[in-house]
Amino acid sequence: MKKECVTMLLAGGVGKRLGQLTKNLAKPAVPFGGRYRIIDFTLSNCINSRMHTVGVLTQYSPFELHKHIGIGKPWDLDRMEDGLTVLSPYMNSEGGNWYLGTADAITKNINFIERYDPKYVMVLSGDHIYHMNYEKILQQHKETNADATISAIQVPWKETSRFGILNTTESMRIYEFEEKPKHAKNNLASMGIYIFNWSILKRYLEKDAMLLDSDHDFGKDVLPAMLADGMNLYAYKFEGYWKDVGTIGSYWEAHMDLLEENIPLSMSDNEWLTYSHDSNFGPQLITENGKATDSLINNGCIVSGKIDHSVLFENVHIDKASSIKQSILFPGVRVGSNVVLDRVIVKENVTIPDHTVLVASPNEEPIVVSEEYVKEKLQPMEESPLLKRMTSNF
Amino acid sequence: MKKECVTMLLAGGVGKRLGQLTKNLAKPAVPFGGRYRIIDFTLSNCINSRMHTVGVLTQYSPFELHKHIGIGKPWDLDRMEDGLTVLSPYMNSEGGNWYLGTADAITKNINFIERYDPKYVMVLSGDHIYHMNYEKILQQHKETNADATISAIQVPWKETSRFGILNTTESMRIYEFEEKPKHAKNNLASMGIYIFNWSILKRYLEKDAMLLDSDHDFGKDVLPAMLADGMNLYAYKFEGYWKDVGTIGSYWEAHMDLLEENIPLSMSDNEWLTYSHDSNFGPQLITENGKATDSLINNGCIVSGKIDHSVLFENVHIDKASSIKQSILFPGVRVGSNVVLDRVIVKENVTIPDHTVLVASPNEEPIVVSEEYVKEKLQPMEESPLLKRMTSNF
Amino acid sequence: MESLMGLINLEHEHDFLNELTQTRCPAAVPFAGRYRMIDFTLSNMTKSNINEIAVFTKHKYRSLMHHLGSGVDWELNKRHGGLYILPPQENNQSDMSKGDLKHFCNNWDYFERNKSDHVLISGTSFISNMNYQELFQHHLDTNADVTLLTTTYNLSTEHEHCLKVDTATNGTVTAITSDKNNPHVFSGIYIIKKSLLAELVEKCIATYKEHFFIDGIIANLHRLNIQSYQYNGYSFMIHSVDSYYKNSLALLEMNNYKQLFPVGEKIYTKISNHAPAKYNTTSNVSKSFIATGGVIDGAVKNSLLFRGVKVQKGAVVKNAIILDDCTIEENAHVENIIIDKEVTVSKNQFLKGSEKQPFIVAKQKTV
Amino acid sequence: MESLMGLINLEHEHDFLNELTQTRCPAAVPFAGRYRMIDFTLSNMTKSNINEIAVFTKHKYRSLMHHLGSGVDWELNKRHGGLYILPPQENNQSDMSKGDLKHFCNNWDYFERNKSDHVLISGTSFISNMNYQELFQHHLDTNADVTLLTTTYNLSTEHEHCLKVDTATNGTVTAITSDKNNPHVFSGIYIIKKSLLAELVEKCIATYKEHFFIDGIIANLHRLNIQSYQYNGYSFMIHSVDSYYKNSLALLEMNNYKQLFPVGEKIYTKISNHAPAKYNTTSNVSKSFIATGGVIDGAVKNSLLFRGVKVQKGAVVKNAIILDDCTIEENAHVENIIIDKEVTVSKNQFLKGSEKQPFIVAKQKTV
């Protein structure tokens, strides 16, 4: 049946710069904010913006991701006529077809899009933390009569060299892209959110698919080709909180942002709910000896230590006389007694032995603790040389 | 969480011998029986046998199949702690991994199985039409203390050369496999349904994965290896209706079987329901001029012609003075007036022009009509040479 | 953007269907081979993007609750919005309200929580397959307080008891009457601004009224901007055994069928797991609906057979409406009849009502 | 294989919780930070593979229906089985039955359709986290007609009104009494053969009885094989404000917490979409539950805070149970208190009940 706009959510990225966090886990499935996974923010934006026809393109280690999104129930995207569809690479009579780039992933699912005969296609990525009403960008796209509209945000000038910069006229029409410029003319960076007129995008995708030297990427290939042909490309200026959690540093920072009393991204905003699963753990118990300040704590936690500037996902237990600062503890973490953690990220179900001290100094990257890390580096004996080093560090 | 038995349903086959019917469609997703798809029978067996932990392995053209099974809602397999999980090939840090054979597909999902720490693993295929209580084969497997149990059915002696034959002692212990023997000693054929002790299967899978010359197939590699090692392999004798719909001929025959007044496979058995989706078409209308005998007709059909020994899926319209015999019409088919069809299978949404005559004689394979077939061979003009040939044939 | 919530108000629906409404309210009466009356209103709401719907039930609503379940089959099982069945509340000594005003009063928190600015209120007796968005747009364009959905029927005794509407040339409603000679019929469906609903409900309760439409809307006709929106598609109203029977059989005309069930405009209902209908060698069916799960060995003519009906060899079914899971045994003859669920008509039995007044057989009997 | 269906019978549960049961039945009373009373029984049934459950509601069940919804959060929204809420039926002149027998009578078709051979019947006042399969196995092994789940409590006035059980050494029940000096307490949960249930229900109705357990089971004690199955895990019964308050605060002891909420043995409840609890710079929380959606700037001690509770700077909350979405404003002090949903305690307000008799604040107030 006909739909005005089909949303294609790219969730296949490897997320290499997240290192340990994306080992066997697609980046959109990485836990975030004490109860969510990164993709929950984008999926919640979809339902809150009434974008009901969503294809989610997966490729890399999708098991947890597929289990998490299912058919979209937590986001009310389990629908009879459209709703959420997972689009994984598949084999057909011509053989197997992995997705080669962001544009190629869409090209390989042209049949899916055509089913809904849409006027517009919106392309999103499942990698960012933000609240955005996609109805507004669609609105602008229609009003400006654009062929493509790119959502953009003003970034600090010193960071412009990390982004794709859009140079526009006063009316926001784009006349130039600069990919990670050394000396940017502008601080308006692309957020990787695009709206296209489908008939035009389809033509460009088919053309791009024939090019042998293309990376089949929107930012590198398709959009520059459209610009070169003089198509109407507009920027949509987004104002609000937006964070690319592409590195362990920025992932950690985004969590510290959540602990500020007033950031423009509230997960308890009744007008813009963030949806996710719930695993039905019991209520959280702060015991007689527990204390929590400037922290987010989820169900099933038992806290007998001191928590400060930290995020505890569900079912984390902290024993007495331990101190957790500026840290992020994933579901099922067990922290023994007399432990000190500062600027540490602990992965799911990891147990931190008693008396462990792990501190990353402010100029270091936060420490990511996995089971292997515990086995290799945190021997429970007090006399381990590494442990000594750590302690002295503190 | 721990589960006694995990079910792995192989639904990735290409189904080459079904020709047109599996063009861009996985075999388990091929429509069957007027309202179902082939895989519905196996999935309904799972829920009716209380097998609640099911992995469905897909690979070839899975789009319709994924859409159909979703998270298993029609079969009550949408469950919080286990339920149905679709397992498609994926990329991990070592690159892409297509499934190479039936055993390899299981090997690549060992992690999925281990999550449930099962004692037994049942392997099924989504290609067959039958009702079977899997609890019974599990029961026998436990009682005989088997390492593996293979479900088997007695086939007519003249067909033994098409099957894998199991030679057993009186106690049903298997001492020999014969793959498609010219002169079978026995008419007990494997149904491709296996139960294994997981710890043993895992060992054999890991061993098989290392063999460079293996096809990584249960029937060809893993089971013979187990037999050679003297493991306890038992046959479970199944009695009842079972049909491998592997060719267009057998697919058509299986439909004709359904029209018999008494076959041991009833789709309206309240004790063994066959579940599927429902698309909410209106009731079927047999008009003043319509007539239906020995046929199955689904919702949304409007019948003004004569239907005999045929199966009409939902939303099929037959205009007046047409005669449909021994044919299978998929959802959305439109048949004009004065049409004659005999031993014909018409694919989804195909329109058959007025005055078309299509007859396959009893010794021919049934004709499969797709949109391309109509375009190429059924010109609406009465004077088309082909049409003449057809008519004369009749 | 202005938005709309739905209310299906069963408080003032009468049990007109004799045996068929003995154990169920009219909204739950099976209709058209595979539906219940409420499915039409509910599906129209769903298709019109109304995804939060309240149902005021009055009595005999167990089968209605069972039918609606979680609302999943109408896509109403969502965390955002969904289906709310609001049964009558037990007496509260301090609560003096009556009729549907009692429902509004007891459940006002539900309306308050909802963010919609307008409420579409409907009964279940008006049967159509339509989208309410045009009606809503008309309501917004005319900045109406209330907009009534109206249609025009040929004058007949069938619509004598319906409310009729007089309008000025611009569509403004000038009177709502019971005039038997007015073909301009009110469908029972209307849209009202939620703020106005709140105000009128409060006034009605304060003055001990008991029927919101009569005491809140009609009584204030001249103080409000009430518009009418005329629907000219296929529709009919069911409020008697006679209209139930007549309009059911009328659906067997292809022209009517295609208007109520156009391909692509679905009416949703509770999903069953029945096999396709089976026609055996001796079956002889014409001008009939046969629902799934049916097994036909006999003759069926000008009839509607619901799910799971068996007609055995030699049996004759004519001008009949036969509800789910009935069996018409060998050589039985049933004609001009409505048979409720799970009835067995024994071998050689002969049952015939008159064309004007069909015979009704109550459910779970053997006759 | 023998199988079991569930029945949660609310017909004879009393509204013991004063303000807390003014608008809701006891089964729907919020409990333990994020649950309602019924969640424990319902989750235990689900975990015991009972997947078809009926609920006999009596009155004030709107919030219960809203809480249970489609049953999806307890995995009970299935086509096979599921959750059936059976509200009381309006009067039928020919129906003389009373009490829970009226429910059995009106809904007997439901029990008949079900294929289970045994029924587990429960109220909602017994709180535990257990699997009923052992109880069921005991029932089958002893070939009992009826098996009662029992436990032993210290003698205290708290269980004075519970039914007590005397047994022979082999576990056969010899008497069911109200003996205040018997510590062997009946939990209100029992399994009965369905065929026997049918027979006893019919007899009770024929003799105008109104309480199935008293008139059907106790009255026939010596004619039936009634067994007891002793449960020794953590449990308690709630049937007064006192036991509600006392047992709630007892959950703040780690030892009790871990017994009622062991990791891996989940109690299911309606899913909300609240963010994790937020503890700000000036928060000072000890020995307390803080549910999701909470924002804490003040001091909280020995208290249970439900979802979405805000405690502002300088506020003190002590020995308190505060239900969903309340706000305790700056410098307010609440102690020995139970505060129902959506209450705002204004700045500088001081509220204190006695430890023996906590003060209860009714919902949606500003104090």
Side-chain angles (χ1 to χ4, degrees), chain C residues 133-173:
Chain C
Q133 281 299 325
E134 280 184 38
L135 164 67
F136 186 38
Q137 196 56 52
H138 186 82
H139 176 74
L140 295 176
D141 290 347
T142 57
N143 196 20
D145 292 318
V146 176
T147 303
L148 311 184
L149 182 75
T150 59
T151 188
T152 307
Y153 292 129
N154 290 333
L155 280 177
S156 75
T157 53
E158 197 184 328
H159 303 104
E160 269 183 6
H161 301 292
C162 297
L163 287 173
K164 308 296 165 35
V165 172
D166 292 331
T167 57
T169 44
N170 66 356
T172 302
V173 173

Short mmCIF file of all heavy atoms in Angstrom, two decimals, chain C residues 133-173:
data_model
loop_
_atom_site.label_atom_id
_atom_site.label_comp_id
_atom_site.label_asym_id
_atom_site.label_seq_id
_atom_site.Cartn_x
_atom_site.Cartn_y
_atom_site.Cartn_z
N GLN C 133 -11.74 10.50 8.02
CA GLN C 133 -10.89 11.69 7.91
C GLN C 133 -11.59 12.84 7.18
O GLN C 133 -11.39 14.00 7.52
CB GLN C 133 -9.55 11.36 7.24
CG GLN C 133 -8.53 10.69 8.17
CD GLN C 133 -8.15 11.55 9.37
OE1 GLN C 133 -8.08 12.77 9.28
NE2 GLN C 133 -7.94 10.91 10.51
N GLU C 134 -12.40 12.52 6.18
CA GLU C 134 -13.09 13.60 5.47
C GLU C 134 -14.11 14.30 6.37
O GLU C 134 -14.25 15.52 6.34
CB GLU C 134 -13.80 13.07 4.22
CG GLU C 134 -12.85 12.89 3.06
CD GLU C 134 -13.59 12.46 1.80
OE1 GLU C 134 -14.72 12.95 1.56
OE2 GLU C 134 -13.04 11.61 1.07
N LEU C 135 -14.79 13.49 7.15
CA LEU C 135 -15.72 14.04 8.13
C LEU C 135 -14.99 14.97 9.09
O LEU C 135 -15.43 16.08 9.39
CB LEU C 135 -16.37 12.87 8.90
CG LEU C 135 -17.10 13.17 10.21
CD1 LEU C 135 -18.36 13.99 9.95
CD2 LEU C 135 -17.47 11.86 10.93
N PHE C 136 -13.82 14.51 9.55
CA PHE C 136 -13.04 15.29 10.50
C PHE C 136 -12.56 16.59 9.85
O PHE C 136 -12.62 17.67 10.45
CB PHE C 136 -11.85 14.45 10.98
CG PHE C 136 -11.03 15.11 12.07
CD1 PHE C 136 -11.63 15.85 13.08
CD2 PHE C 136 -9.65 14.95 12.09
CE1 PHE C 136 -10.87 16.44 14.09
CE2 PHE C 136 -8.89 15.53 13.10
CZ PHE C 136 -9.50 16.27 14.10
N GLN C 137 -12.11 16.50 8.60
CA GLN C 137 -11.64 17.69 7.91
C GLN C 137 -12.78 18.71 7.78
O GLN C 137 -12.59 19.91 8.00
CB GLN C 137 -11.10 17.29 6.52
CG GLN C 137 -10.24 18.36 5.87
CD GLN C 137 -9.08 18.78 6.76
OE1 GLN C 137 -8.32 17.93 7.24
NE2 GLN C 137 -8.95 20.08 7.03
N HIS C 138 -13.97 18.20 7.47
CA HIS C 138 -15.14 19.07 7.37
C HIS C 138 -15.42 19.76 8.71
O HIS C 138 -15.69 20.96 8.77
CB HIS C 138 -16.34 18.23 6.93
CG HIS C 138 -17.58 19.05 6.64
ND1 HIS C 138 -17.79 19.69 5.44
CD2 HIS C 138 -18.67 19.31 7.40
CE1 HIS C 138 -18.95 20.32 5.47
NE2 HIS C 138 -19.51 20.11 6.66
N HIS C 139 -15.30 18.97 9.77
CA HIS C 139 -15.49 19.49 11.12
C HIS C 139 -14.51 20.63 11.41
O HIS C 139 -14.88 21.70 11.93
CB HIS C 139 -15.29 18.33 12.10
CG HIS C 139 -15.37 18.71 13.55
ND1 HIS C 139 -16.57 19.00 14.18
CD2 HIS C 139 -14.41 18.82 14.51
CE1 HIS C 139 -16.32 19.28 15.46
NE2 HIS C 139 -15.03 19.17 15.68
N LEU C 140 -13.26 20.44 10.99
CA LEU C 140 -12.24 21.47 11.23
C LEU C 140 -12.46 22.68 10.32
O LEU C 140 -12.39 23.83 10.77
CB LEU C 140 -10.84 20.89 10.98
CG LEU C 140 -10.39 19.76 11.93
CD1 LEU C 140 -9.03 19.23 11.49
CD2 LEU C 140 -10.32 20.25 13.37
N ASP C 141 -12.78 22.42 9.04
CA ASP C 141 -12.94 23.50 8.07
C ASP C 141 -14.09 24.43 8.46
O ASP C 141 -14.01 25.64 8.24
CB ASP C 141 -13.20 22.94 6.67
CG ASP C 141 -11.97 22.26 6.09
OD1 ASP C 141 -10.87 22.43 6.67
OD2 ASP C 141 -12.11 21.54 5.08
N THR C 142 -15.16 23.86 8.99
CA THR C 142 -16.32 24.68 9.33
C THR C 142 -16.21 25.20 10.77
O THR C 142 -17.13 25.85 11.25
CB THR C 142 -17.62 23.87 9.20
OG1 THR C 142 -17.51 22.71 10.05
CG2 THR C 142 -17.87 23.42 7.77
N ASN C 143 -15.11 24.83 11.43
CA ASN C 143 -14.90 25.24 12.83
C ASN C 143 -16.14 24.93 13.67
O ASN C 143 -16.60 25.72 14.49
CB ASN C 143 -14.56 26.73 12.88
CG ASN C 143 -13.97 27.09 14.24
OD1 ASN C 143 -13.49 26.22 14.97
ND2 ASN C 143 -14.04 28.37 14.57
N ALA C 144 -16.69 23.73 13.42
CA ALA C 144 -17.93 23.34 14.10
C ALA C 144 -17.67 22.96 15.54
O ALA C 144 -16.57 22.56 15.90
CB ALA C 144 -18.56 22.16 13.36
N ASP C 145 -18.69 23.12 16.39
CA ASP C 145 -18.63 22.57 17.73
C ASP C 145 -18.89 21.07 17.67
O ASP C 145 -18.25 20.28 18.35
CB ASP C 145 -19.70 23.21 18.62
CG ASP C 145 -19.41 24.68 18.89
OD1 ASP C 145 -18.23 25.00 19.14
OD2 ASP C 145 -20.35 25.49 18.82
N VAL C 146 -19.87 20.74 16.82
CA VAL C 146 -20.29 19.35 16.66
C VAL C 146 -20.56 19.13 15.18
O VAL C 146 -21.13 20.00 14.52
CB VAL C 146 -21.59 19.07 17.46
CG1 VAL C 146 -22.07 17.65 17.23
CG2 VAL C 146 -21.38 19.32 18.95
N THR C 147 -20.12 17.98 14.64
CA THR C 147 -20.47 17.65 13.26
C THR C 147 -21.11 16.27 13.22
O THR C 147 -20.54 15.30 13.72
CB THR C 147 -19.22 17.68 12.35
OG1 THR C 147 -18.61 18.96 12.46
CG2 THR C 147 -19.58 17.41 10.89
N LEU C 148 -22.31 16.21 12.64
CA LEU C 148 -23.05 14.95 12.57
C LEU C 148 -22.81 14.28 11.23
O LEU C 148 -22.85 14.95 10.18
CB LEU C 148 -24.55 15.19 12.71
CG LEU C 148 -25.04 16.07 13.87
CD1 LEU C 148 -26.58 16.10 13.87
CD2 LEU C 148 -24.52 15.56 15.21
N LEU C 149 -22.57 12.99 11.23
CA LEU C 149 -22.49 12.23 9.98
C LEU C 149 -23.92 11.85 9.58
O LEU C 149 -24.62 11.19 10.36
CB LEU C 149 -21.64 10.98 10.17
CG LEU C 149 -21.44 10.13 8.91
CD1 LEU C 149 -20.45 10.80 7.96
CD2 LEU C 149 -20.93 8.73 9.27
N THR C 150 -24.32 12.28 8.40
CA THR C 150 -25.69 11.98 7.97
C THR C 150 -25.67 11.28 6.63
O THR C 150 -24.67 11.28 5.92
CB THR C 150 -26.50 13.28 7.81
OG1 THR C 150 -25.84 14.10 6.83
CG2 THR C 150 -26.61 14.03 9.10
N THR C 151 -26.78 10.67 6.29
CA THR C 151 -26.93 10.06 4.98
C THR C 151 -28.40 10.14 4.59
O THR C 151 -29.23 10.60 5.39
CB THR C 151 -26.40 8.61 4.99
OG1 THR C 151 -26.39 8.12 3.65
CG2 THR C 151 -27.25 7.71 5.87
N THR C 152 -28.69 9.76 3.37
CA THR C 152 -30.08 9.83 2.92
C THR C 152 -30.55 8.45 2.51
O THR C 152 -29.86 7.76 1.75
CB THR C 152 -30.21 10.79 1.73
OG1 THR C 152 -29.62 12.03 2.09
CG2 THR C 152 -31.67 11.02 1.36
N TYR C 153 -31.67 8.01 3.04
CA TYR C 153 -32.22 6.70 2.68
C TYR C 153 -33.58 6.90 2.03
O TYR C 153 -34.26 7.89 2.30
CB TYR C 153 -32.40 5.81 3.91
CG TYR C 153 -31.10 5.37 4.55
CD1 TYR C 153 -30.89 5.54 5.91
CD2 TYR C 153 -30.09 4.79 3.78
CE1 TYR C 153 -29.70 5.13 6.50
CE2 TYR C 153 -28.90 4.37 4.37
CZ TYR C 153 -28.71 4.55 5.73
OH TYR C 153 -27.55 4.15 6.30
N ASN C 154 -33.98 5.94 1.23
CA ASN C 154 -35.36 5.97 0.74
C ASN C 154 -36.30 5.91 1.92
O ASN C 154 -36.00 5.24 2.92
CB ASN C 154 -35.62 4.76 -0.17
CG ASN C 154 -34.86 4.89 -1.47
OD1 ASN C 154 -34.57 6.00 -1.91
ND2 ASN C 154 -34.52 3.76 -2.06
N LEU C 155 -37.41 6.60 1.82
CA LEU C 155 -38.39 6.56 2.91
C LEU C 155 -38.93 5.15 3.03
O LEU C 155 -39.35 4.55 2.05
CB LEU C 155 -39.53 7.54 2.62
CG LEU C 155 -39.21 9.00 2.93
CD1 LEU C 155 -40.38 9.88 2.55
CD2 LEU C 155 -38.87 9.17 4.40
N SER C 156 -38.85 4.60 4.19
CA SER C 156 -39.40 3.27 4.43
C SER C 156 -39.63 3.17 5.90
O SER C 156 -39.09 3.95 6.68
CB SER C 156 -38.42 2.20 3.96
OG SER C 156 -37.37 2.09 4.89
N THR C 157 -40.41 2.21 6.29
CA THR C 157 -40.67 2.05 7.73
C THR C 157 -39.39 1.70 8.47
O THR C 157 -39.27 1.92 9.67
CB THR C 157 -41.69 0.92 7.98
OG1 THR C 157 -41.20 -0.25 7.30
CG2 THR C 157 -43.05 1.30 7.45
N GLU C 158 -38.38 1.18 7.72
CA GLU C 158 -37.15 0.73 8.36
C GLU C 158 -36.46 1.82 9.17
O GLU C 158 -35.85 1.54 10.19
CB GLU C 158 -36.21 0.23 7.25
CG GLU C 158 -35.09 -0.63 7.78
CD GLU C 158 -34.13 -1.01 6.66
OE1 GLU C 158 -34.57 -1.16 5.50
OE2 GLU C 158 -32.94 -1.13 6.96
N HIS C 159 -36.54 3.06 8.72
CA HIS C 159 -35.80 4.11 9.42
C HIS C 159 -36.71 5.03 10.23
O HIS C 159 -36.32 6.11 10.62
CB HIS C 159 -34.96 4.91 8.42
CG HIS C 159 -34.02 4.04 7.67
ND1 HIS C 159 -34.23 3.67 6.36
CD2 HIS C 159 -32.89 3.42 8.06
CE1 HIS C 159 -33.25 2.87 5.98
NE2 HIS C 159 -32.43 2.70 6.98
N GLU C 160 -37.91 4.58 10.47
CA GLU C 160 -38.86 5.39 11.22
C GLU C 160 -38.32 5.86 12.56
O GLU C 160 -38.54 6.99 12.97
CB GLU C 160 -40.13 4.57 11.47
CG GLU C 160 -41.16 4.77 10.39
CD GLU C 160 -42.45 4.02 10.70
OE1 GLU C 160 -42.56 3.44 11.80
OE2 GLU C 160 -43.33 4.01 9.82
N HIS C 161 -37.59 5.00 13.22
CA HIS C 161 -37.17 5.34 14.58
C HIS C 161 -35.83 6.07 14.66
O HIS C 161 -35.37 6.40 15.73
CB HIS C 161 -37.11 4.08 15.44
CG HIS C 161 -38.43 3.40 15.51
ND1 HIS C 161 -39.51 3.94 16.15
CD2 HIS C 161 -38.85 2.24 14.97
CE1 HIS C 161 -40.55 3.15 16.02
NE2 HIS C 161 -40.18 2.10 15.30
N CYS C 162 -35.20 6.29 13.49
CA CYS C 162 -33.92 7.00 13.51
C CYS C 162 -34.15 8.49 13.72
O CYS C 162 -35.21 9.03 13.41
CB CYS C 162 -33.19 6.82 12.19
SG CYS C 162 -32.77 5.11 11.85
N LEU C 163 -33.12 9.16 14.21
CA LEU C 163 -33.18 10.61 14.31
C LEU C 163 -32.96 11.20 12.92
O LEU C 163 -32.16 10.70 12.14
CB LEU C 163 -32.12 11.14 15.27
CG LEU C 163 -32.40 10.87 16.75
CD1 LEU C 163 -31.19 11.28 17.60
CD2 LEU C 163 -33.65 11.62 17.22
N LYS C 164 -33.69 12.28 12.61
CA LYS C 164 -33.59 12.94 11.31
C LYS C 164 -33.02 14.34 11.51
O LYS C 164 -33.16 14.93 12.59
CB LYS C 164 -34.97 13.03 10.65
CG LYS C 164 -35.72 11.71 10.58
CD LYS C 164 -35.02 10.69 9.73
CE LYS C 164 -35.55 9.27 9.95
NZ LYS C 164 -36.95 9.12 10.23
N VAL C 165 -32.41 14.86 10.45
CA VAL C 165 -31.73 16.14 10.57
C VAL C 165 -32.25 17.14 9.54
O VAL C 165 -32.42 16.81 8.37
CB VAL C 165 -30.20 15.91 10.36
CG1 VAL C 165 -29.47 17.22 10.28
CG2 VAL C 165 -29.65 15.04 11.48
N ASP C 166 -32.56 18.36 10.00
CA ASP C 166 -32.86 19.47 9.08
C ASP C 166 -31.66 20.39 9.03
O ASP C 166 -31.06 20.68 10.06
CB ASP C 166 -34.06 20.30 9.59
CG ASP C 166 -35.35 19.51 9.52
OD1 ASP C 166 -35.46 18.63 8.64
OD2 ASP C 166 -36.24 19.77 10.36
N THR C 167 -31.30 20.82 7.82
CA THR C 167 -30.14 21.70 7.73
C THR C 167 -30.48 22.95 6.92
O THR C 167 -31.37 22.94 6.07
CB THR C 167 -28.96 21.02 7.03
OG1 THR C 167 -29.39 20.60 5.73
CG2 THR C 167 -28.45 19.85 7.81
N ALA C 168 -29.72 24.02 7.20
CA ALA C 168 -29.76 25.20 6.33
C ALA C 168 -28.95 24.88 5.08
O ALA C 168 -28.28 23.85 5.02
CB ALA C 168 -29.15 26.39 7.07
N THR C 169 -29.00 25.75 4.07
CA THR C 169 -28.30 25.43 2.81
C THR C 169 -26.79 25.30 3.03
O THR C 169 -26.13 24.58 2.30
CB THR C 169 -28.55 26.52 1.75
OG1 THR C 169 -28.42 27.80 2.37
CG2 THR C 169 -29.94 26.38 1.15
N ASN C 170 -26.24 25.99 4.02
CA ASN C 170 -24.80 25.87 4.24
C ASN C 170 -24.43 24.64 5.06
O ASN C 170 -23.29 24.45 5.43
CB ASN C 170 -24.26 27.14 4.92
CG ASN C 170 -24.82 27.28 6.33
OD1 ASN C 170 -25.67 26.48 6.76
ND2 ASN C 170 -24.37 28.29 7.05
N GLY C 171 -25.40 23.79 5.34
CA GLY C 171 -25.11 22.56 6.07
C GLY C 171 -25.28 22.66 7.57
O GLY C 171 -25.21 21.66 8.27
N THR C 172 -25.54 23.86 8.08
CA THR C 172 -25.74 24.01 9.52
C THR C 172 -27.03 23.29 9.93
O THR C 172 -28.05 23.40 9.27
CB THR C 172 -25.86 25.49 9.89
OG1 THR C 172 -24.66 26.14 9.46
CG2 THR C 172 -26.02 25.69 11.39
N VAL C 173 -26.94 22.54 11.00
CA VAL C 173 -28.10 21.78 11.46
C VAL C 173 -29.06 22.72 12.17
O VAL C 173 -28.67 23.44 13.09
CB VAL C 173 -27.66 20.64 12.39
CG1 VAL C 173 -28.86 19.94 13.02
CG2 VAL C 173 -26.79 19.65 11.63
#
